[in-house]
């Protein structure tokens, strides 16, 4: 059985790195991962969506949409949720090659 690297699969089915399709896919994936991490941390801290929303100064519906990747995250929302969860947030800005 031949093993195929992830990048080859993504190149074939999504698009090569640098294309608009691949950038959109990568951005959506990052947002989904962040939403998943928020949800997992909220559960670990035994908070309901309503409790997190209150701590973050947001609506429960907004938290639900974020956790289910049905809402575009803004830096403001990311920051509010991180603070409400008592989480450290790191952004890594790197120049393109």
């Amino acid at each position: 059985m031949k093993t195929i690297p992830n990048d080859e699969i993504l190149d074939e089915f999504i698009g090569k790195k640098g294309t608009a399709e691949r950038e959109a896919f990568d951005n959506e994936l990052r947002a989904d991962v962040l939403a998943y991490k928020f949800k997992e941390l909220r559960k670990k801290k035994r908070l309901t969506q309503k409790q997190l929303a209150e701590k973050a100064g947001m609506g429960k519906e907004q938290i639900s949409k974020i956790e289910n990747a049905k809402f575009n995250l803004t830096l403001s929302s990311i920051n509010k949720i991180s603070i409400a969860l008592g989480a450290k947030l790191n952004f890594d800005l790197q120049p393109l090659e």
Side-chain angles (χ1 to χ4, degrees):
M1 183 191 275
K2 180 182 176 188
T3 302
I4 302 171
N6 286 340
D7 280 340
E8 283 185 31
I9 294 170
L10 292 173
D11 287 351
E12 183 176 343
F13 293 101
I14 305 297
K16 295 200 180 285
K17 282 187 178 183
T19 63
E21 295 83 6
R22 182 67 171 269
E23 291 297 320
F25 174 84
D26 288 344
N27 288 336
E28 188 173 328
L29 180 60
R30 284 185 202 100
D32 287 350
V33 168
L34 185 58
Y36 176 82
K37 287 183 177 185
F38 279 151
K39 185 175 185 176
E40 289 300 304
L41 187 54
R42 174 184 61 78
K43 288 181 174 183
K44 184 177 180 181
K45 292 189 173 262
R46 299 176 191 252
L47 293 171
T48 65
Q49 288 180 340
K50 183 178 179 182
Q51 290 169 326
L52 176 58
E54 288 170 358
K55 287 182 82 166
M58 302 169 79
K60 184 226 175 261
E61 297 80 17
Q62 191 175 7
I63 297 295
S64 176
K65 287 179 181 179
I66 288 169
E67 287 185 355
N68 291 295
K70 307 234 185 265
F71 185 86
N72 285 333
L73 287 166
T74 64
L75 289 175
S76 176
S77 296
I78 292 168
N79 194 46
K80 286 178 184 179
I81 295 169
S82 297
I83 290 169
L85 289 170
K88 181 179 176 184
L89 185 63
N90 294 318
F91 287 101
D92 186 18
L93 184 63
Q94 298 177 3
L96 296 175
E97 297 174 34

